[in-house]
Amino acid sequence: MMNIKACLFDFNGTMFFDGRLHDKAWREIISKKIGREISDEEIRKYIYGCNNKDIVRHFFSEKYGIDKMESEQADIEIAKLAKEIAGEKESMYRNLCRELEIIELAPGLVNYLDKLKSDNIKVAIVSAATKENIELYFEVFGLDKWFGWEQIVYDDGTLPGKPAPDMWLAAAKRLGVNTDECIVYEDSLNGILAAKRAGAGHIVAVYGDASKEMLEKQGIADEYICDWSC
């Protein structure tokens, strides 16, 4: 592995094993809004690693007639709908987080982040989460011990979501490094594909909250870990 100058972390399912909470919130919202259950395969393909606009576009376009609109008008309507639906979902998700008896980062991660800090390795978070969710994570996990807001690339509506490479590229640019000088830690198929497209130097698939077999089948990651405790 080449000389690594930075570590870029996805957050949900990578730094915080919260997949079950997102699953529960999305399943309830989709069932309520369109009256059908969604499969585990749909969760993996159309939700994990995706931003809220893309999720809403996939599941709600037909229900609200957006799939019949011209692309420009469809984008406007998707943005409006995403604000409403995803806002409701994320509020539900944050409540679920606050109801947990114990809320903590993935096993071994605190020690790893401390080591990166002591070794002066640059770090950033690259997440499809909203600003409100990132604010919650700063509050409950004390992320400011390792990260400043300038080191967080989140879903602010300005960049295409994963599997597009843009968010990983933006994080590397903020840190002043090339993506081939970065280790990327990611748990989702979309996120790993995005990192590959961005030219990441080394991709580590984190399967503590995902299926190792599914990630290995994708055949893109360079390394696989369940968490940072080993």
Side-chain angles (χ1 to χ4, degrees):
M1 185 168 58
M2 63 166 294
N3 182 35
I4 294 298
K5 296 182 179 178
C7 292
L8 309 182
F9 298 85
D10 170 58
F11 193 83
N12 303 103
T14 300
M15 299 180 75
F16 175 36
F17 294 161
D18 60 345
R20 68 196 185 282
L21 306 181
H22 283 287
D23 287 5
K24 179 178 175 61
W26 273 120
R27 288 180 192 277
E28 289 190 16
I29 291 293
I30 291 171
S31 177
K32 174 183 173 182
K33 298 290 186 181
I34 65 175
R36 78 169 178 88
E37 302 302 314
I38 56 174
S39 67
D40 292 343
E41 176 63 23
E42 286 179 297
I43 288 278
R44 288 192 294 269
K45 188 172 182 179
Y46 300 113
I47 291 182
Y48 286 171
C50 298
N51 64 33
N52 286 331
K53 282 185 182 178
D54 290 339
I55 294 170
V56 168
R57 187 185 301 275
H58 176 77
F59 287 101
F60 297 93
S61 287
E62 183 177 357
K63 170 73 174 180
Y64 290 87
I66 296 173
D67 58 328
K68 303 293 194 302
M69 297 177 184
E70 297 293 333
S71 60
E72 185 175 345
Q73 183 61 33
D75 288 343
I76 293 172
E77 294 303 317
I78 284 292
K80 291 179 182 177
L81 193 59
K83 185 175 182 180
E84 172 194 341
I85 292 176
E88 185 177 348
K89 176 265 169 180
E90 297 300 353
S91 178
M92 182 185 299
Y93 161 78
R94 289 192 294 274
N95 287 336
L96 290 171
C97 286
R98 294 184 185 281
E99 290 170 3
L100 293 174
E101 290 186 13
I102 299 175
I103 183 167
E104 56 190 3
L105 293 173
L109 181 57
V110 167
N111 289 338
Y112 185 59
L113 291 173
D114 284 343
K115 186 176 188 307
L116 292 177
K117 184 176 180 179
S118 68
D119 291 344
N120 294 313
I121 301 296
K122 296 179 178 181
V123 294
I125 291 173
V126 180
S127 174
T130 62
K131 183 180 181 182
E132 292 80 7
N133 288 4
I134 297 294
E135 289 172 339
L136 172 67
Y137 305 146
F138 268 89
E139 173 192 340
V140 300
F141 297 121
L143 292 183
D144 56 354
K145 182 177 180 181
W146 309 284
F147 302 91
W149 270 94
E150 71 281 359
Q151 295 161 269
I152 313 294
V153 178
Y154 62 92
D155 180 18
D156 62 359
T158 63
L159 294 172
K162 305 167 186 175
D166 303 60
M167 296 181 80
W168 296 116
L169 293 169
K173 184 176 180 179
R174 289 190 190 186
L175 298 181
V177 298
N178 298 319
T179 51
D180 63 2
E181 298 172 318
C182 297
I183 295 179
V184 163
Y185 293 95
E186 172 66 75
D187 73 301
S188 74
L189 298 176
N190 286 322
I192 290 170
L193 180 56
K196 180 70 173 180
R197 291 172 173 173
H202 192 76
I203 301 173
V204 180
V206 182
Y207 61 89
D209 203 26
S211 164
K212 182 181 181 183
E213 181 181 1
M214 176 186 66
L215 295 173
E216 288 179 330
K217 187 176 180 180
Q218 188 184 33
I220 294 178
D222 301 294
E223 185 180 348
Y224 299 84
I225 62 172
C226 59
D227 56 43
W228 284 266
S229 62
C230 50

